[in-house]
Amino acid sequence: MKLGFTRSEVDPKLYFKVDNDRPLILVLYVDDLFLTGADPLIHQCKRELASKFEMKDLGLMHYFLGVEV
């Protein structure tokens, strides 16, 4: 939330923010984090998070809970 995200009232694992009318959505699942939105916002968010936490970027999501994305 210090990075400007707002927690969803419906799902506590879903966060979002809007920057210049461009949405960025962050979803937490156990020890994984998923980002979707405009590429520049995603890259900026990853840099900010990596400066605060040890992270590993696994690239684009292909499967989630056994479902092809």
Side-chain angles (χ1 to χ4, degrees):
M1 293 176 67
K2 290 180 182 179
L3 298 178
F5 284 91
T6 301
R7 182 184 289 187
S8 167
E9 294 178 11
V10 177
D11 185 344
K13 299 172 291 300
L14 174 69
Y15 295 82
F16 63 93
K17 73 176 181 177
V18 178
D19 185 11
N20 294 326
D21 293 326
R22 297 180 302 176
L24 180 62
I25 298 169
L26 181 149
V27 178
L28 298 172
Y29 181 75
V30 185
D31 62 348
D32 291 323
L33 180 141
F34 305 104
L35 288 169
T36 188
D39 280 343
L41 295 178
I42 291 173
H43 294 299
Q44 176 186 353
C45 184
K46 285 198 267 187
R47 281 192 303 271
E48 291 174 353
L49 289 169
S51 73
K52 300 181 184 306
F53 304 99
E54 184 179 332
M55 303 181 20
K56 186 175 176 184
D57 186 352
L58 299 177
L60 295 175
M61 182 183 348
H62 298 284
Y63 289 90
F64 178 66
L65 298 176
V67 177
E68 187 173 7
V69 179

